[in-house]
Amino acid sequence: MTLKVAARLALDFLLPVRCLSCDRRVSSEHGLCASCWQKMPFYEKPWCYRLGTPFSYDMGAEVWSPRAIASPPEFGRLRSVAAFEGPARDLVHGLKFGGRRDLAGPMGSWMARAGQELLTGESLIVPVPLHWSRLIARRFNQSADLARAVAGAGGGRFEPMLLRRSRRTRRQVGLSSADRRKNVRTAFTVSDDRLADLQGRHVILIDDVITTGSTVTACCRTLLGAGAESVDVLTFAHADVAGEASPSGGKTSLS
Ligand SMILES: [Zn+2]
């Protein structure tokens, strides 16, 4: 046994490595156990060029889903690691409500991988901001933790203070799509002293989960209106609102 292996075994004994989702002991660091890995609803190619939602079969490069065609998003492209269910949902909740800030590193690495087509190295990595009063209550912004991890793993400049939430909004949970849009329409601003840094730049907006897209759409409008060249969105999870993601078009959730 080499010294390195012996040290590793000693460390495993002192600090047992746990599955990030279910806390079961696992052999690899920063990972999931076999059972959670199998249940993790990863998004994989082929996917919609605009919304990053998977297709059941390959229709060629840069193909848009019927939903993206029916209602093109204001952002350029959206990429997400997984659907918002099973272990993906547990991880989002663990980070946001369970205070598991240690999850942000591995979740951010997965996001950097899912969003590698978006990351240019020159991009500004901007988290969806919390209002300061909510930040005080929760003590951290999970999207900022994820954005820092994405920039660390995939490149780009972490910009936690560029976009601000100037108005406290009601929680989006339980609101209709129209009310969600109204709720966040004028909630965001770009700090005056950061306007110059934004001109002509590519922004990657980071959030833990996208639901109807009203929050990122409001952020996107603010950033484009303030001089950003383009905005893409990278989230850990994508909650496809039931019935709104049907291939036949249906209602559009990402407007
Ligand atoms: Zn597990």
Side-chain angles (χ1 to χ4, degrees):
M1 188 189 302
T2 66
L3 208 59
K4 208 171 161 187
V5 172
R8 179 74 246 174
L9 287 174
L11 201 64
D12 275 354
F13 180 71
L14 294 170
L15 299 166
V17 182
R18 302 278 177 180
C19 168
L20 293 171
S21 177
C22 72
D23 211 36
R24 203 175 290 156
R25 271 196 77 159
V26 289
S27 53
S28 71
E29 217 173 331
H30 299 313
L32 298 171
C33 70
S35 159
C36 289
W37 183 265
Q38 209 176 19
K39 283 185 269 176
M40 184 78 172
F42 283 115
Y43 276 1
E44 279 164 46
K45 278 184 173 173
W47 53 41
C48 167
Y49 179 72
R50 298 296 300 276
L51 302 178
T53 43
F55 291 138
S56 42
Y57 56 94
D58 199 349
M59 295 190 280
E62 300 195 10
V63 171
W64 296 24
S65 59
R67 182 159 49 128
I69 294 167
S71 179
E74 306 237 353
F75 47 79
R77 289 167 290 175
L78 164 64
R79 294 293 178 265
S80 310
V81 173
F84 186 53
E85 55 193 47
R89 185 189 206 119
D90 295 341
L91 291 173
V92 167
H93 284 171
L95 172 62
K96 193 174 191 166
F97 305 119
R100 294 273 322 266
R101 294 183 75 177
D102 59 302
L103 294 176
M107 287 168 77
S109 303
W110 278 331
M111 288 168 72
R113 205 176 310 150
Q116 53 186 305
E117 316 162 84
L118 313 179
L119 287 153
T120 65
E122 300 292 310
S123 311
L124 304 182
I125 313 293
V126 175
V128 169
L130 281 182
H131 189 256
W132 64 266
S133 59
R134 196 156 277 160
L135 187 61
I136 288 173
R138 199 188 286 161
R139 299 200 313 277
F140 71 101
N141 175 2
Q142 76 283 355
S143 300
D145 279 15
L146 292 172
R148 186 186 296 111
V150 167
R157 202 165 85 197
F158 174 49
E159 287 283 0
M161 306 303 283
L162 190 142
L163 186 66
R164 293 165 54 178
R165 199 181 279 249
S166 49
R167 191 165 59 74
R168 191 178 167 138
T169 51
R170 288 169 63 198
R171 286 185 193 283
Q172 297 279 73
V173 175
L175 299 181
S176 70
S177 289
D179 286 339
R180 280 172 181 246
R181 279 198 294 279
K182 218 180 293 169
N183 190 31
V184 292
R185 191 177 289 150
T186 57
F188 302 97
T189 52
V190 172
S191 316
D192 283 343
D193 58 341
R194 304 307 312 281
L195 277 171
D197 299 323
L198 183 64
Q199 304 312 302
R201 300 298 295 267
H202 170 238
V203 173
I204 301 182
L205 190 64
I206 305 287
D207 210 354
D208 53 350
V209 54
I210 183 166
T211 306
T212 63
S214 51
T215 301
V216 296
T217 297
C219 290
C220 186
R221 280 190 189 143
T222 301
L223 289 162
L224 292 170
E229 164 81 24
S230 55
V231 181
D232 289 320
V233 179
L234 181 57
T235 70
F236 182 76
H238 187 154
D240 251 340
V241 181
E244 296 196 343
S246 71
S248 57
K251 283 191 294 172
T252 55
S253 66
L254 285 161
S255 54

